[in-house]
Amino acid sequence: MRQPISKFAALGLAILMAFPRPALASSALPTINQENTTVPGEVIIGLPVGADPTDLISAIPTLGVLEVVTLGDLQVVVVQVLPGQEAHVQAEMLAQPEVLFAERKVLAEVQAIPNDPLYGGTPQFPSGQYAPARVQAPDAWDVTTGGEDIILAIVDSGIDASHPEFQGRMMPGYDFVQNDSQPQDGCGHGTHIAGIAAASGNNAAGIAGMDWNVRILPVRVLANDCLGDPVDIARGIVYATDQGADVINLSLGLLTASRVLEYATYYAYSRGAAVIAAAGNHAPGSPPLSVFYPAAYPWVLAVGATGQGGGNPVANFSNQGAALDLTAPGEAILSTLPLTGGFSLQGSNGLGTDYGLLDGTSMAAALVSGGATLLVAHNPDFNTPDRIYAGLQDSALDLGDPGTDEVYGHGLLQVLNALGYDPSGLPPPQPPPATAVEYDPITSTRCQNLSYAWREIPHIDLGPDRTNLGVFNNNGSALITLPFTIDYGGANFTQATVSANGYIAFDGLGSEQENWLIPQADIGPPYARPNWYIAPFWDDLNPSAAPPEWGAGVYGDVISTPVGDEYVVEWHRIPIQQNNTSTEVTFQVVFIEVTGQILFQYKTLKGSQSDGSSATIGLEYDDGLRGQLYAFNQTGALRAKTAILFSPQTPGADRQVQGCLLVTEIAPATTTQVDFEPWCVQFPTGALSQPATLRFSVFNQFPPRFNNYLSLGHYAEINLEPQPPAPFDPRPMVCYTYTAADLAAAGGKATNLFLATYDLEYGAWERLPTGIDTLQRLLFAPVAHFSVFGVFTSPRPAEPPVTGAPAAANPPYWLLGLFFPPLLVWWSRSWQRR
Amino acid sequence: MAKALSPILLLVLLLAACQAAPTAASVTPSPTLPPPHLEHNRTPSAPAATAQSTAAPSPTTFPQELPELARALYGDRLPTWVAIPALTLKAPVVPVGWTAEDDIDLADLRWDSPEASVGWVIESGLPGAGSGNTLLYGHNNIHSSIFRDLYTLQPGDVVILTNGQGDWRYSVDSVQVLPVESSPADKMIYAAALKDSLAPRLTIIACYPPDGNTHRVLVTAFPSP
């Protein structure tokens, strides 16, 4: 399916290789021409995961889908378009509210140039390895030579794994160019990079890399022509992150920003991988080219190159700018090359096999990556990208203008100094961002497709079969090991803290008696309130206040069913603190392993406040930033013998389970209204000629249909049986009560909201003439027939705001100037006459 | 005399034409549609006043104005100030939205005017959230000249957004000045800049030049440690 790119690749390569080293020093400089590396006929489209791109693609008949890739929360669709139509397709795609970006495919290139081995008149590497000494590596090796449990990902052209310098340290890796598990180097660049960062030292052979013990993860994203598809590179970065890479080396770059690489590098950074990239090899010129992407992103460490001469002058090819962070030697760098010939750099400028010299910020970045893995191995406090970046930057040898400058960044890498840096003052690691998930609640009181079915579990207080979880006392809690891994809120948990106060926390905070609104992140001391929890009845409960004969306690057990296991946690006959034995509540949480659903069931609710009037009921996750509130201190929120089921959904994805269902009989009498919050239907007198059954199903997701308006994710399917002849006359009214969140999503204007109906025959949404009642917060529309209805908003304008007035502000005073010379003449004459 | 007046007339007309949209259009129901007579008692099939997942406040306290609405939804995550040291600028931030002028083809969408403050688009990214495109815009010569010098920003300059949780630092990546009467390529740059993002970014928009509105300044920045 991949489009052949060889013709354009050849042009791109020509840029890199046409200039032997002496020419580089002269004024004949490589000019970068992005046209050469832009793949014709391809557009990269970004969508949130869950959105189905089928309709989007079918909107333009000439489009072909080349590739659909999921990267974390991002879905990337590469489409083939007729050459010359790329801009048109980009504009069409950007007009769709769901589309995050649509960009051309610009290939990234290696930031290296083969060096002439005969340069300087001496055959075979006259200066050997001068670079390690410049960055204090020999001294650093007295402190550490690296750790075997550290992973360095070389996201590049692959690595020749048979090279003796990497023996015993190569991980399997992956080839994203050919989609197989043999990331063999067909360019020669990746092997060179791996040697600089991680060739074995002290092995009486060849060269010494910066880190002698690190495990090397080869990820091939650059083709044999040394050019890389940004989608492949992004896949490689995400793969390396998911493989647990501590440091990711990116000795590649391109002039233009790329949303795909922006997301992938941020994905790595936000999950704890330090990303180190070449600043770029296209500095000469006036002004010099700024730092290439992805190095230019602040979350990526951008490395420039210094030369071989005394005083570490900046290499004449090294890109400059505010985004530059650090420099390291990048001229005439000796490192490994594939053992067998046939790789594309071979022969260029006399480059042989086994070992050879290359110039470039590629090489400088590899030195820094090897230094970074030394830091990680040496001090466990180097456990976040920011801590690693700070260690490398703050210890650098200041060059050029004092302090940070646009030529050297913070200065030249000094590994020994960096090893002595104490990063513990910087923020510690944060939990990784959760993947997007939301929960749809349905209740047995409201939805006829859910019924209360209490799960009986044995109550055993002692012995090997004990089910008592040991949660006692006011504010007591117990840490339990879950019988199966629970995927909750986008994260996996094997343990949980069960609280006497009617909730289960996944962040260990099980003693909070004051219940909170959901979502509400606890961001200040004393950090006692949970941010990851499940609350069937979070209130101030006290198991130990019950008389002994009640058998009160919190119990947990697994139930096996034909469709899989369920884990049940039951709070049995627990008094509410303030009322002690005049109140008692019995309820349970059921974790359904197969579906990831969470079921709350309420068996007994006795006494005041047992209706949830002082309780929080719902789910909170994503560090307290997201959640699904069912009720907060709401009188009458709960009734005995009822159930609430929460089903996980990928936002925007096709519906996996049915929504909340209401079935009701309607008589053809006078005006009839059926409320099914937040929806309602009103039948005017005469709309029905016979009694009918109304089926009303409410849900939050529907296969997306791309339009120039934006769905708010509220849908209702309404059916009437027997089906009256359409169209209705008079027409029934469908109505929807909007929330504050709906209003904000609509740019704060109720007038931007409207209802639409889904035409099942044509598979398209059709806007309904919608009335708005701001007092009742109601949208309403008359309908000709029943179908699926949805709430939509006019999207953000695609045009930028008007924030100024035009230039006519000044009257044309210069016209006065035209009168001035004659005036002067007249005045001088009249003066002469005097 | 008439000649002397005409530039002023022209000025007044142009100013009127270039004012940003009024904040809220009429929100009364369309006259062709009678509002349904709604009774707030439940039908027998849905008896108890079952809890609503959104826990909507009662209609009387429902926030109708943008600032209240944003405060109710985002609390202390709402951006309140923006500082740009390179412009010696510190300005209050207010939430803004947009209005569909024409409810048929949705082509005529207008951004709200932030008046003398800096506007933050109400459903755009929140500072410190780890994702989302935070969209800010301000006037260059009407209502205020907050962003008159925005075009002078350089890559590497710092922008600081403040909310109730603290200060959030951004580093300018690029500053583009593009004509409004633009080529399809420029229109695409605008459309892309106004899109949401899964990685965090900050986009700041103002008119250009300082005495006109023929161009737009687009500043892209990324959070920086």
Side-chain angles (χ1 to χ4, degrees), chain A residues 443-445 447 449-456 586-588 599-604 639-644:
Chain A
T443 71
S444 63
T445 44
C447 310
N449 48 341
L450 176 69
S451 48
Y452 167 81
W454 184 257
R455 274 30 171 202
E456 293 290 349
T586 298
F587 55 90
Q588 64 184 192
L599 177 67
F600 295 173
Q601 300 206 86
Y602 302 88
K603 189 180 188 182
T604 316
R639 290 190 303 159
K641 307 281 190 293
T642 61
I644 308 169

Side-chain angles (χ1 to χ4, degrees), chain A residues 35 95 149 154 174 215 218 230 285 290 512 531 579 622 776 779:
Chain A
E35 289 300 308
D149 53 347
I154 307 288
Y174 197 80
R215 293 167 75 198
S290 59
E512 183 61 25
N531 282 330
N579 297 291
D622 197 9
Q776 296 192 78
L779 307 176

